[in-house]
Amino acid sequence: MPEIIEVAERPYVALRGTVRMDEISAFADRMHEVIGWLAAREIAPNDAPFFRYEVVDMAAGLVLEIGFPVDDVHSGEGEIVTGVLPAGRYASVEHHGHPDGLMAATRDLLAWGEQEGIEWDAEGDKWVSRLEIYKSDPREVPSMADWDTELQFKLKD
């Protein structure tokens, strides 16, 4: 069952791109670029990796960032971007299972929000903060069917 949580701001480093739905897994495979960038600068992630959906437009493509929260704001370069995930109230729900199930979990969270009269922090297809947080480490949980992912969608202030 979804819940409303309060989240502090979180600096992050990510790889940014525009992808079609069928390109998400190939884009996710580039996570090693973020890891390499962080390692070269001796910057340690302080929490689980995430996907941030900034624009969700099924026809034109998704503006997507894959990255990690870090302790401080840094300067990015090229496709590596930095920023701060905003503080505020988020609708949150846990998904246990293969990431293929996240589309249904997202649909259910959005439907719950509509039923509850929730106002998302979004303007049309552009979201302020819409996250999938991958809490399972693939080195420790090799079966994607056993992964835990948290959806966090920011509410309007």
Side-chain angles (χ1 to χ4, degrees), residues 85-143:
L85 299 171
R89 294 179 331 124
Y90 285 72
S92 170
V93 68
E94 296 281 335
H95 168 73
H96 178 78
H98 195 284
D100 287 350
L102 288 170
M103 189 176 291
T106 297
R107 182 187 61 240
D108 293 348
L109 179 58
L110 292 171
W112 172 84
E114 185 175 329
Q115 180 183 18
E116 296 294 316
I118 287 176
E119 197 173 350
W120 305 111
D121 202 348
E123 294 289 329
D125 296 332
K126 185 169 175 37
W127 288 74
V128 170
S129 192
R130 179 172 163 166
L131 306 170
E132 293 174 357
I133 302 169
Y134 289 83
K135 297 186 162 202
S136 298
D137 184 334
R139 296 169 296 191
E140 297 170 9
V141 185
S143 173

Side-chain angles (χ1 to χ4, degrees), residues 21-48:
M21 283 293 291
D22 62 351
E23 297 172 326
I24 292 175
S25 65
F27 189 68
D29 288 343
R30 296 180 62 195
M31 180 68 82
H32 67 90
E33 295 176 37
V34 181
I35 294 168
W37 191 92
L38 290 167
R41 288 153 185 81
E42 299 180 351
I43 301 168
N46 65 18
D47 207 347

